[in-house]
Amino acid sequence: MDKIVQYRVKGIEAQVIAVNSLEAVKEMQKIHQASYTATAAAGRVLSALAMMTMALKNPADKISIQITVDGPIKGIVATARENGDVKMDIYQPLIYLPLKDNGKLDVSGAVGKGTLTVVKDMGMKTPYTGTVPLVSGEIAEDFTYYFAASEQTPSVVALGVLIDSQDVVLASGGFMIQLLPGASEETISYLEKRVGELDSVTTMLGKGFDTDEMITSIFEGKEMETISEKPLQYKCDCSRERIRSGLSLLKKDDLQAMISEDDGAEVLCHFCNSKYHFDRDELGKILDAK
Ligand SMILES: [Zn+2]
């Protein structure tokens, strides 16, 4: 069972969140038929986004991520809702890059250079939007930089997807530690020291660690408690109605062409592969309503 958990650690003035995203990443991989390289990249994005939903308060709130890059993966878009539903699309999911010399997945090679945009829709008139350049293409560093540059929040973001050469995802998850405003020197120096000593998330996942065990291993010996927990699942919210309103935004000429040249329109949802067929009559009604 995937979950997102927020912790309070005694004596540490920071927000501490961890995620287990194995099932969601497996579902994402199945939908997109993603290679191990693409799954690792997109899986890390999924984990980071899932943890960011802990900042959402209302059921209608959502966060979207847009990564636009010049690497072979081309781009990743994802949206998560307050309830822990996540959906995503990978522009080029079939890319296979050889492992790096150190045996690690070449995520930065797949991603290359580009930008990370975060859109937080929290019921305000205008959603909050922040865009930063990618600093490494390894995803975790890119989110760390995003939090520092765009949200002025010093953070540690660590993400991992454990996957074998047959594309089988074995584990996926991560953690995020964000300093609270006015955090003490003790907290800052403690975290700086610990972060340098920590195992990578992939190593922790390889040991079979769950979210509690990850956080316990980071803050060894300190008292901690769970303050909030919610499920995470890969779930698309597309519907015929939603696709219809998308079609109604097309130009009249394009709609006319679908009616006269094609036998209606088949629309594929890029987040879940659901197909929606609209026949000529229905397209005609959409056209008439414009
Ligand atoms: Zn869908």
Side-chain angles (χ1 to χ4, degrees), residues 4 17-19 47-55 157-159 174-176:
I4 314 158
I17 300 170
V19 63
S47 293
L49 175 59
M51 289 191 280
M52 290 172 80
T53 67
M54 275 301 188
V157 182
L159 308 164
F175 63 84
M176 185 161 100

Side-chain angles (χ1 to χ4, degrees), residues 87 234-239 243 268-276:
K87 60 174 183 178
Y234 191 100
K235 199 168 171 205
C236 188
D237 54 357
C238 67
S239 65
I243 303 282
L268 179 76
C269 172
H270 289 287
F271 294 102
C272 69
N273 286 345
S274 294
K275 280 182 188 152
Y276 296 88

Side-chain angles (χ1 to χ4, degrees), residues 29 77 89 99 112 169 178 180 189 200 203 207 246 253 273 277:
Q29 181 195 36
V77 287
D89 187 22
L99 297 179
V169 186
Q178 300 194 297
L180 295 173
S189 53
S200 73
T203 303
K207 290 180 185 169
D253 288 355
N273 286 345
H277 185 79

